[in-house]
Amino acid sequence: MPLFIDRFRNWWRSRFSNSGVGRPSQWLVDWVRGGSDDDSGVAVTNQTALQCATFWQGVNVIAGDVLQLPLVLYRRVGDRDRNHATTHPAFRLMLRQPNKGMGAGTFKQVLQSHALIFGNGYGVIERNGRMEPTAVKPLDPSRTEPITTEAGLRLYETEIEVTPNHWEKFRMFPENVLHIKGLGWDGSKGYSVLSMARRSLGLAIAQEKHGARFFKNSATPGGMLEYAAGTSQENAKAMTEAWNQEFRGVE
């Protein structure tokens, strides 16, 4: 036990001892900003990324198309024929209602959007006493990932909010997880799109914010208007109005 305490103390000091108000650690900066940023200086999260109209449209179009595709379970008959496996427990789940909270279309759209944004879409398969699937529910892709135990066993680990602000970790066998993978390297999971495209997304968000601030400020340049001595009040007012007509913003 003392050895464990010493190791924990050393880890804590190495991570947090140099952090302060003047030089905060990066983890603290990221936490305050709501996510890590890149050269654009903009924090990129799943929420801020979807505020980018182009990114939103891409996710919406692809996930919306997948929503319309029927997911039908077939049973092979002989070498070439197949029939609808209407008696299989998973037939209704995939075609009609995977769980009580959503229909099949919404379920497919959710998992596909997770795969497009996070690189992975996860769904936990619930079973009855006969090990038949009874429901498939989406998991939070930011809190779920495949792991390998010390014994070499491949599992999935996720965090679930069991009570308000209280999360617990659960491990699941692969046969109980529906995993939609995006582009990846080793086949175990897809790349995090938010991480790989962080710079591009940050630049797009920064450009939109800059334009919004520019027009919100009425595109007003700094400076002063000067009039020649003896200019009448009517002429000064007319010159000011002409300047405003030329340079003020959309409002």
Side-chain angles (χ1 to χ4, degrees):
M1 183 62 69
L3 179 60
F4 169 77
I5 296 176
D6 289 340
R7 288 179 177 177
F8 179 79
R9 184 183 295 114
N10 292 335
W11 172 82
W12 180 271
R13 288 175 177 174
S14 65
R15 177 159 183 169
F16 304 109
S17 61
N18 295 327
S19 179
V21 177
R23 297 178 59 188
S25 297
Q26 187 59 44
W27 70 269
L28 178 60
V29 177
D30 294 343
W31 178 77
V32 172
R33 290 177 173 174
S36 59
D37 59 9
D38 63 351
D39 294 343
S40 65
V42 177
V44 179
T45 65
N46 59 314
Q47 296 295 327
T48 58
L50 287 175
Q51 293 174 9
C52 176
T54 305
F55 189 73
W56 167 277
Q57 181 66 3
V59 172
N60 186 46
V61 168
I62 297 176
D65 287 344
V66 172
L67 176 152
Q68 303 176 51
L69 298 176
L71 189 57
V72 181
L73 182 64
Y74 290 92
R75 177 179 288 108
R76 187 180 298 279
V77 180
D79 295 334
R80 297 186 178 182
D81 295 333
R82 62 179 183 176
N83 294 328
H84 287 179
T86 55
T87 59
H88 195 283
F91 184 86
R92 177 190 59 83
L93 295 179
M94 293 295 95
L95 189 62
R96 295 284 182 258
Q97 191 173 26
N99 57 73
K100 294 182 179 180
M102 59 184 65
T106 302
F107 175 80
K108 289 179 288 186
Q109 185 183 40
V110 169
L111 253 66
Q112 183 61 52
S113 64
H114 288 176
L116 293 171
I117 298 172
F118 295 93
N120 299 276
Y122 301 98
V124 57
I125 303 174
E126 298 182 352
R127 301 179 185 272
N128 57 21
R130 297 187 298 272
M131 297 305 295
E132 297 173 340
T134 57
V136 187
K137 299 179 180 179
L139 295 172
D140 187 344
S142 65
R143 295 179 177 269
T144 307
E145 64 177 346
I147 63 172
T148 302
T149 65
E150 295 180 356
L153 187 63
R154 295 299 298 263
L155 299 173
Y156 284 87
E157 187 174 77
T158 187
E159 286 185 312
I160 298 178
E161 190 175 18
V162 293
T163 57
N165 298 322
H166 177 66
W167 298 76
E168 290 187 7
K169 289 185 177 181
F170 295 90
R171 289 186 173 182
M172 305 159 290
F173 290 106
E175 56 267 27
N176 293 326
V177 177
L178 175 62
H179 185 183
I180 307 300
K181 306 172 187 177
L183 177 65
W185 179 258
D186 57 2
S188 63
K189 64 178 181 179
Y191 287 125
S192 170
V193 179
L194 293 181
S195 297
M196 302 300 288
R198 188 177 302 279
R199 180 170 299 179
S200 298
L201 290 170
L203 178 60
I205 297 171
Q207 288 176 331
E208 288 189 356
K209 286 187 175 182
H210 174 73
R213 291 194 186 100
F214 182 76
F215 288 107
K216 181 180 180 180
N217 193 40
S218 298
T220 304
M224 299 176 61
L225 290 179
E226 294 184 0
Y227 308 105
T231 300
S232 65
Q233 184 175 1
E234 290 77 9
N235 289 339
K237 184 177 180 180
M239 293 172 62
T240 302
E241 184 62 28
W243 171 271
N244 288 334
Q245 291 290 340
E246 181 70 21
F247 295 105
R248 67 184 170 192
V250 294
E251 295 183 357

